[in-house]
Amino acid sequence: MFTPIERILDGEIAEGKAVKIRGWIYRTRQQGKLNFVVVRDASGVIQCAVKKGVVSDDHFEGATKALIESAVIVEGTVKKDARAHGGYELVASAFDVLHFSEIFPISKDQSTEFLLDVRHLWLRSRELTAVMRIKANVLAAIRDFCKQEGYFETTPPILTTSAAEGGSTLFELDYFGKKAFLSQSAQLHLEALIFSLEKVYAITPSFRAEKSRTNKHLTEYWHFEGEAAHVDNEGIMQFEERLLEYVCHRIAKENTKELAELGRDAKELAAVTAPFERVPYAEAIKRLQKKGVKIKDGDDFGADEEKLLTDDKTQPIFITHFPASMKPFYMKENPDGTANNHDLLAPKGFGELIGGSERETDLKTIEAKLEKAGEKLENYAWYLDLRRYGSVQHSGYGLGVERLVRWVCGLEHIRDATPFPRVINRAYP
Ligand code: 4AD
Ligand code: MG
């Protein structure tokens, strides 16, 4: 039986008690007949004191020889030590090296490009470990909340023949001699599923051939999307804000250590509270103009505008009712030309987390919009069927999981919210 290091650091093991841990050498320091070997496992890091004469000669020699990242098993007794990182030390009685590591290529002060080249190894860093632990919990929290709200998790396809978000960011592929795409969004297929399950969601990879290099765009990202029958734009926004509150509170409560390790203030997440401010697009334009931005009705927000709108906020905000002409064919249009839609922006310039809307239900209107967008109706024949057989009011949204994790963790770049980032110049490792 192996004890997770976290349990020792949490003070769950009585001082003097013998335990066995298993992990990798994080750091090592020699002081004559005493080796201080810091060992990490998935849960934490702890210093082990390996003393000649206390462990066997073989084991002492192993501890002396073993380089960083060697895989080890350590048996020893727990000792409180204010000087040790984490407040506890393990006094080793046995030190087994399972694998002697070669010289690890990562040391201090290496370039970002190099660290991305050895991402498969850099994932062992404390920072990325903390992020991945938080990401796992974000995904768990999303699933728990959806279940609690009566949503069914579904599994829409990734290989598709219809585009949801326009042609410019589609990855095209040859599907046995026919043209197909990697999915940009599961939305259209989720819409089909509401007619049987009413409330559905999916967490799938989405692909965008983004040519821009920014700190918020990946070419492959995880997309959490939901769709619900008999719900309007306001109703789906209420679901989203409650979900976000739930996720933020859970992370603040359950990932306190990881947040601290990342230098992120857990109190800020604990304070996220629905409802969020709703700002109509027209009002957002006015706010920006007041701040001296040269922007006019019909312009989209770039990173600078998103930052100006949210710099002084502590809570996310919704921007609602964009001009329908700026938005995809499926959004419900109001008589005044606005769309019944919303974007959710994270505070402090972290940018768009969610895009969502009420969906157009009328067959003729959708056909006209598709034609105006230069799309062939035959490519959407199946989708148009959904407006032929029992069409009902419905709404949905898509949330970029890495965008959310980036904000929750307070990361500079979105690539650190995913283990193996795909961006315009990188699909390795
Ligand atoms: O705003 P988007 O393009 O909306 C849709 O795809 C809708 N069909 C969703 C729906 O209603 N079911 O994308 C939704 C979210 C964005 O708000 C953003 O968080 C994320 O997906 N996203 C990206 N995340 C990382 N890298 C990219 N290149 C992203 N593009 C969008
Ligand atoms: Mg969007």
Side-chain angles (χ1 to χ4, degrees), residues 165 185 187 208 210 218 221 225 352-353 359 397 400:
E165 300 302 317
S185 162
Q187 179 193 323
R208 307 273 170 117
E210 301 278 1
L218 296 165
Y221 70 97
E225 294 176 279
E352 181 188 325
L353 299 181
R359 317 307 191 189
Y397 58 86

Side-chain angles (χ1 to χ4, degrees), residues 289-308:
Q289 287 169 339
K290 253 191 215 148
K291 293 191 178 187
V293 184
K294 286 199 180 62
I295 191 167
K296 54 181 193 319
D297 217 44
D299 289 348
D300 213 344
F301 306 131
D304 293 342
E305 287 78 25
E306 286 179 350
K307 190 159 166 35
L308 282 169

Side-chain angles (χ1 to χ4, degrees), residues 328-345:
F329 68 93
Y330 54 72
M331 287 190 184
K332 175 93 183 161
E333 185 170 341
N334 297 307
D336 66 358
T338 61
N340 235 350
N341 81 318
H342 59 275
D343 276 359
L344 184 77
L345 305 185

Side-chain angles (χ1 to χ4, degrees), residues 5-214:
I5 291 172
E6 188 173 41
R7 291 197 52 213
I8 304 173
L9 302 180
D10 284 348
E12 286 176 36
I13 314 290
E15 217 179 340
K17 198 167 178 259
V19 292
K20 213 184 214 187
I21 63 167
R22 171 163 66 175
W24 292 266
I25 297 182
Y26 183 61
R27 240 186 286 122
T28 169
R29 179 163 59 90
Q30 268 149 33
Q31 250 178 30
K33 293 186 171 147
L34 187 57
N35 285 320
F36 288 107
V37 186
V38 179
V39 174
R40 62 166 182 84
D41 68 5
S43 69
V45 297
I46 192 166
Q47 173 170 295
C48 304
V50 189
K51 200 170 180 181
K52 198 175 164 94
V54 176
V55 299
S56 72
D57 286 352
D58 263 14
H59 284 187
F60 184 76
E61 199 186 315
T64 310
K65 243 175 41 191
L67 301 176
I68 284 172
E69 292 306 320
S70 295
V72 297
I73 290 177
V74 190
E75 283 181 63
T77 50
V78 173
K79 188 180 147 211
K80 261 195 183 149
D81 186 342
R83 288 161 310 168
H85 176 87
Y88 286 90
E89 186 182 74
L90 203 61
V91 180
S93 54
F95 191 94
D96 258 317
V97 181
L98 298 175
H99 180 258
F100 284 96
S101 176
E102 296 180 23
I103 297 173
F104 199 56
I106 301 176
S107 56
K108 273 198 188 116
D109 302 324
Q110 270 157 331
S111 74
T112 305
E113 277 311 301
F114 175 77
L115 290 176
L116 285 167
D117 283 340
V118 293
R119 184 71 167 193
H120 50 295
L121 304 176
W122 183 230
L123 287 172
R124 304 177 187 194
S125 68
R126 299 301 302 155
E127 183 192 0
L128 288 177
T129 305
V131 175
M132 296 315 145
R133 284 173 61 108
I134 290 174
K135 187 177 195 179
N137 209 21
V138 164
L139 288 167
I142 289 173
R143 289 194 161 99
D144 289 347
F145 187 77
C146 285
K147 177 148 202 212
Q148 205 172 289
E149 296 275 325
Y151 276 75
F152 293 98
E153 180 165 8
T154 63
T155 56
I158 305 300
L159 291 169
T160 66
T161 50
S162 35
E165 300 302 317
S168 68
T169 63
L170 276 176
F171 277 110
E172 194 178 309
L173 57 98
D174 174 58
Y175 193 74
F176 306 109
K178 287 212 172 101
K179 197 153 76 169
F181 311 106
L182 292 176
S183 172
Q184 295 169 308
S185 162
Q187 179 193 323
L188 305 186
H189 292 91
L190 288 179
E191 285 187 61
L193 283 157
I194 62 152
F195 294 91
S196 52
L197 299 169
E198 296 191 22
K199 298 203 275 189
V200 294
Y201 76 97
I203 302 176
T204 60
S206 271
F207 301 86
R208 307 273 170 117
E210 301 278 1
K211 304 219 170 54
S212 49
R213 261 187 234 201
T214 78

